[in-house]
Amino acid sequence: MSFSLCTSWVWMLLFLGCTLGQSKQTRSAGSDVRNCTTVPPYLPSTVTNTAERLQALRQRMQFYKIRAYIVPATDAHMSEYIAEQDARLAWMTGFTGSAGTGVVTLDKATLWTDSRYWIQAERQMDCNWELQKAVWIPSIGEWILQEVPAGESIGLDPFLFSIDNWKSYSQALRNSGRNLIPIDINLVDLVWDAQKPPPPTHSIYALSDEFTGNTWQNKVSEIRTQMEKHPKRPTAVLLSGLEETAWLFNLRGDDIPYNPVFYSYALLTKSNISLFVNQSRLTQEALQSLTAGCPGPLCVRLEDYNKVKAHLQNYVQGDIRVWIGTEYTTYGLFRVIPEEKCLQESYSPVMTTKAVKNTKEQELLRAAHVRDAVAVIQYLLWLKKNVPLGSVNEFSGARYVDQLRQKMEHWRGPSFETISASGLNAALAHYSPSNVSSRKLSVDEMYLTDSGGQYLDGTTDITRTVHWGAPTPFQKEAYTRVLMGNIELSRLVFPSGTSGRMIEAFARQALWKVGLNYGHGTGHGIGNFLSVHEWPVGFQSNNVPLTTGMFTSIEPGYYQNGEFGIRIEDVALVVETQTEHKVGDKPFLTFEVVSLVPYDRNLIDVRLLSAEQIQYLNSYYKTVRQHVGPELQRRQLQEEYEWMRSNTEPFSQGVLVAASLGLLAVTILISEFLSNLQA
Ligand SMILES: *[C@@H]1O[C@H](CO)[C@@H](O)[C@H](O)[C@H]1NC(C)=O
Ligand SMILES: *[C@@H]1O[C@H](CO)[C@@H](O)[C@H](O)[C@H]1NC(C)=O
Ligand SMILES: *[C@@H]1O[C@H](CO)[C@@H](O)[C@H](O)[C@H]1NC(C)=O
Ligand SMILES: *[C@@H]1O[C@H](CO)[C@@H](O)[C@H](O)[C@H]1NC(C)=O
């Protein structure tokens, strides 16, 4: 799914994508949303009364002499999904959507969130909170300038803002006479205090060798080599992203939803490794793995999670240079490092190394996708049988596909909340059904399902759109053009080191040609049993260049407001390819699609496809048969096997040949007829 693009860590750059697609949504407001213009205000039972919380927060604000306080939706690691203990914005506002920013002044409180959450916010917030539907940081900056007089201060918790985010805010307030003040104590926590959920306690475990691409010791050595080779001579790397520590040490946990990671930081020097984590949560095995090399340069010293700042403060006293990634490191930790001792890059070397999967990791991810394809094929067949009976709704469908995955080997959970959207709901690109609002699936509507699994060997993410009845010609055309975009990008050949941004338009070309488009990104990286949205691979301007071994999703779509939505998403591996000619000594690249589920034939208008696109599609279908066929048979899923076979029948290029032969015949006849006339 593409929706990482709207989450906290990249939203600044990509807000356009998040608003474009949905800004025109209109949904009639029913009585399930608040109405703050009536007297007294109308509040549905789903809102939270925030009066007391706000009053308590304002008292703290006065104590710290600030006129406004900014409350973000993320945690100290810029995680896309957060644990309950970090749901400060939700507790303050009542609004539980995954993205948003709140600003509280002494007399006002305002929430900014993107369009997918506007209705939800009106259902959950009381009238103490205003909802702003504008683009975040610029609008937040303007709002603050309006509400906070010059000479006054605005506070925030520097451990909840990345360096990049901090910079954006200070930019917005620069030269305005207002001060942005970091306050190390979180003011919401002071108020939340007694009711705040406890930190997670699940155990942190070592991933067994069969599921890792390398030992953690080798990974550490590789990062150390990169430190040595770096012209700026860093003496240490600071890791703040949770998937960085999980990947580096081959450990996994269950601290936040959907991503198998655990609260931690790491400081890696040439001679020492410090892992900041609650040590009592490590399994015996994990502990042994980390400390087997003690003492020595491959000995992990375990320190309290809360000690990272103090440790860093101490470390920076020496003659050192700390390498950090500005996307994931918080301003709170950054502040501790003197400027001349800090090497800032967008990403840490762990982030960029993790993005390139080695042969073993590639094999693991491929294997996970074969099992995942079995589950999705089972689901599509089940839908085909059950939707006509009228017995499936969006929510029960979502639950069922999750259950099918659950039966697969190595399954550990969904990789994000399943999107299951019928008819007009699919036009809301991020829609997920709930047990209280769920549309019935029907043969008269298009249905979009975007889901994925976490398996010990890999993380998956796939979207298919289907129609079981008679799609309109426009629906067919739109679907086919989305598919053409998916095909054109998937089969593209490009030089090594090309940035995703440069080739992204291939996924849009067929839509653009007829004046259609989609308002979200075209893809994102994905992990080996890690994040479903793995930074920094993808097709945005701030993604890294594509190289062999990277995995990315490819997911064009089309959304017709109030009617239907289409998205076709596959995960693909960047591979070398043979070209007839070659400039330079680096190989040319292309994609190998590893998601192996047929597209909906009922929605494909073959006449729109070029001969090369048909050829590509046929060879993809051959791959599906080769890899998923034996797996379906092994599981004795005979009906699924037959469904897969009939849905991967090669498309005949003969259609085109026959058509042109026909034309030729007609031409000959006509010309004969004409010459006969003349004769
Ligand atoms: C709120 O109530 C006012 C007054 O009854 C009404 O005019 C308005 O349409 C309502 N707004 C919403 C969003 O229901
Ligand atoms: C560390 O984990 C243990 C076991 O789950 C828990 O009892 C303890 O409170 C945790 N310590 C901290 C500081 O969170
Ligand atoms: C490495 O750890 C040892 C043992 O705790 C400590 O004495 C030493 O100062 C550390 N070295 C560095 C470079 O941090
Ligand atoms: C709906 O889901 C919520 C949250 O999971 C749960 O608390 C509630 O009981 C469910 N309601 C129904 C009608 O199943």
Side-chain angles (χ1 to χ4, degrees):
M1 71 173 193
S2 63
F3 312 122
S4 59
L5 311 177
C6 302
T7 57
S8 48
W9 40 276
V10 280
W11 57 265
M12 285 186 300
L13 294 145
L14 304 171
F15 60 82
L16 200 67
C18 300
T19 44
L20 254 183
Q22 303 127 55
S23 57
K24 280 183 254 148
Q25 299 310 337
T26 47
R27 296 239 302 220
S28 59
S31 58
D32 62 340
V33 299
R34 64 179 187 171
N35 190 338
C36 298
T37 59
T38 61
V39 191
Y42 170 74
L43 297 175
S45 62
T46 44
V47 305
T48 301
N49 181 344
T50 61
E52 260 179 56
R53 295 165 195 195
L54 280 168
Q55 197 195 357
L57 179 67
R58 286 174 176 138
Q59 275 171 10
R60 309 287 170 166
M61 287 164 57
Q62 279 170 318
F63 178 82
Y64 283 95
K65 301 196 166 46
I66 53 170
R67 290 292 287 260
Y69 191 64
I70 309 177
V71 185
T74 189
D75 64 13
H77 308 276
M78 304 297 113
S79 301
E80 182 177 1
Y81 306 103
I82 55 171
E84 279 178 37
Q85 61 159 2
D86 284 313
R88 297 179 181 88
L89 183 66
W91 185 77
M92 265 329 291
T93 60
F95 165 68
T96 58
S98 71
T101 299
V103 181
V104 179
T105 61
L106 296 181
D107 57 0
K108 285 192 181 168
T110 300
L111 173 85
W112 282 259
T113 187
D114 62 75
S115 54
R116 69 189 140 143
Y117 289 127
W118 291 342
I119 304 271
Q120 186 180 340
E122 301 275 12
R123 282 183 188 141
Q124 295 183 318
M125 296 199 303
D126 66 7
C127 292
N128 289 308
W129 284 89
E130 215 179 284
L131 174 63
Q132 284 272 354
K133 299 181 172 178
V135 168
W136 294 358
I137 288 187
S139 155
I140 294 173
E142 268 169 44
W143 190 86
I144 288 174
L145 291 180
Q146 210 172 49
E147 298 296 329
V148 177
E152 300 285 350
S153 300
I154 297 98
L156 53 71
D157 176 351
F159 290 95
L160 295 181
F161 288 79
S162 71
I163 300 168
D164 289 346
N165 276 357
W166 164 270
K167 283 185 184 152
S168 309
Y169 279 103
S170 33
Q171 190 108 25
L173 299 177
R174 199 165 54 183
N175 301 329
S176 74
R178 287 138 184 108
N179 312 307
L180 196 57
I181 307 228
I183 303 169
D184 280 6
I185 291 177
N186 188 288
L187 302 195
V188 175
D189 285 357
L190 289 181
V191 178
W192 197 0
D193 198 28
Q195 300 160 53
K196 195 171 145 88
T201 54
H202 303 114
S203 59
I204 299 165
Y205 55 96
L207 209 49
S208 87
D209 289 347
E210 89 186 90
F211 300 118
T212 63
N214 216 333
T215 63
W216 70 258
Q217 289 89 343
N218 283 341
K219 292 180 182 178
V220 163
S221 303
E222 188 179 338
I223 300 302
R224 281 178 169 154
T225 306
Q226 291 187 41
M227 288 162 61
E228 270 155 38
K229 283 191 186 151
H230 198 290
K232 297 243 171 81
R233 297 267 157 201
T235 58
V237 170
L238 176 67
L239 302 178
S240 296
L242 299 184
E243 65 251 61
E244 297 187 283
T245 42
W247 178 84
L248 185 63
F249 298 108
N250 290 333
L251 300 177
R252 296 294 186 270
D254 194 15
D255 288 7
I256 63 172
Y258 307 118
N259 294 348
V261 295
F262 54 94
Y263 285 109
S264 54
Y265 295 95
L267 187 73
L268 176 67
T269 71
K270 285 175 197 166
S271 52
N272 288 6
I273 308 163
S274 304
L275 177 61
F276 302 87
V277 67
N278 182 341
Q279 182 179 340
S280 61
R281 295 179 50 204
L282 291 167
T283 62
Q284 201 53 39
E285 217 183 340
L287 192 63
Q288 247 159 30
S289 156
L290 296 174
T291 55
C294 294
L298 288 172
C299 160
V300 178
R301 299 196 315 156
L302 297 162
E303 310 217 23
D304 278 353
Y305 171 75
N306 295 323
K307 293 276 164 61
V308 64
K309 185 182 159 203
H311 184 102
L312 194 60
Q313 252 160 350
N314 188 41
Y315 180 71
V316 298
Q317 303 303 315
D319 179 18
I320 56 94
R321 177 166 284 132
V322 186
W323 189 352
I324 56 164
T326 54
E327 295 256 0
Y328 281 77
T329 310
T330 60
Y331 182 66
L333 286 180
F334 172 70
R335 269 203 318 152
V336 169
I337 311 169
E339 203 180 324
E340 71 280 6
K341 295 185 178 183
C342 188
L343 166 56
Q344 297 180 53
E345 288 186 356
S346 295
Y347 324 105
S348 82
V350 167
M351 213 51 123
T352 45
T353 307
K354 172 165 63 64
V356 179
K357 273 71 174 169
N358 66 25
T359 317
K360 167 100 179 281
E361 289 165 328
Q362 292 172 20
E363 280 314 311
L364 290 167
L365 255 165
R366 280 197 190 93
H369 277 85
V370 171
R371 293 196 307 281
D372 199 68
V374 171
V376 177
I377 286 171
Q378 284 181 285
Y379 181 50
L380 290 174
L381 176 62
W382 180 82
L383 286 173
K384 186 181 162 240
K385 289 201 268 186
N386 288 282
V387 169
L389 308 177
S391 59
V392 187
N393 65 34
E394 294 167 335
F395 190 71
S396 67
R399 262 199 332 217
Y400 190 65
V401 71
D402 290 344
Q403 281 164 15
L404 289 167
R405 281 199 172 88
Q406 195 167 351
K407 293 195 198 110
M408 296 295 153
E409 296 90 332
H410 310 320
W411 180 87
R412 301 299 294 232
S415 59
F416 57 93
E417 185 180 5
T418 296
I419 292 170
S420 167
S422 186
L424 80 174
N425 284 340
L428 300 157
H430 309 106
Y431 171 91
S432 290
S434 76
N435 58 1
V436 285
S437 74
S438 175
R439 193 178 180 87
K440 198 161 132 185
L441 269 53
S442 146
V443 294
D444 298 324
E445 288 190 340
M446 233 190 250
Y447 170 70
L448 182 158
T449 177
D450 181 350
S451 62
Q454 288 289 5
Y455 305 90
L456 290 170
D457 44 357
T459 306
T460 66
D461 182 1
I462 181 170
T463 309
R464 288 293 180 266
T465 304
V466 288
H467 196 305
W468 303 278
T472 65
F474 178 60
Q475 286 174 334
K476 265 183 104 158
E477 168 165 9
Y479 180 92
T480 306
R481 290 187 179 279
V482 171
L483 179 63
M484 286 156 76
N486 182 310
I487 292 174
E488 284 306 291
L489 187 51
S490 300
R491 71 184 194 90
L492 190 73
V493 174
F494 52 95
S496 288
T498 300
S499 75
R501 182 73 193 158
M502 256 183 82
I503 58 175
E504 197 244 10
F506 281 89
R508 300 181 187 266
Q509 188 185 15
L511 289 163
W512 283 355
K513 195 170 176 187
V514 293
L516 304 179
N517 199 3
Y518 53 94
H520 56 70
T522 295
H524 53 80
I526 193 164
N528 278 84
F529 188 37
L530 276 175
S531 300
V532 70
H533 302 132
E534 195 175 82
W535 205 240
V537 174
F539 297 98
Q540 304 294 335
S541 54
N542 52 346
N543 289 128
V544 292
L546 295 165
T547 57
T548 317
M550 287 179 174
F551 280 81
T552 177
S553 71
I554 292 177
E555 48 181 308
Y558 174 71
Y559 307 89
Q560 180 80 13
N561 286 330
E563 292 183 32
F564 63 87
I566 299 165
R567 187 163 58 255
I568 302 177
E569 174 186 23
D570 293 307
V571 170
L573 165 66
V574 180
V575 293
E576 286 184 16
T577 186
Q578 298 301 319
T579 45
E580 199 181 329
H581 309 287
K582 198 168 81 177
V583 290
D585 48 7
K586 292 215 174 133
F588 274 61
L589 308 176
T590 189
F591 294 103
E592 172 198 321
V593 174
V594 299
S595 304
L596 298 170
V597 177
Y599 308 115
D600 188 7
R601 292 175 97 83
N602 192 27
L603 280 166
I604 299 176
D605 183 348
V606 190
R607 292 168 308 173
L608 289 174
L609 302 181
S610 70
E612 280 169 318
Q613 287 165 346
I614 291 177
Q615 200 177 19
Y616 170 89
L617 204 50
N618 288 345
S619 89
Y620 172 65
Y621 281 167
K622 215 164 117 188
T623 313
V624 174
R625 287 181 170 194
Q626 267 168 5
H627 290 90
V628 186
E631 192 64 23
L632 289 167
Q633 286 179 313
R634 190 174 70 79
R635 291 164 197 266
Q636 301 180 334
L637 294 169
Q638 197 51 37
E639 214 179 333
E640 281 80 0
Y641 178 76
E642 270 144 31
W643 180 90
M644 183 277 292
R645 291 288 298 188
S646 68
N647 280 279
T648 50
E649 278 297 327
F651 285 101
S652 146
Q653 276 164 304
V655 174
L656 295 173
V657 177
S660 32
L661 280 181
L663 198 64
L664 188 67
V666 170
T667 316
I668 293 169
L669 278 178
I670 290 176
S671 57
E672 270 182 21
F673 174 71
L674 287 176
S675 54
N676 282 347
L677 270 186
Q678 279 164 355

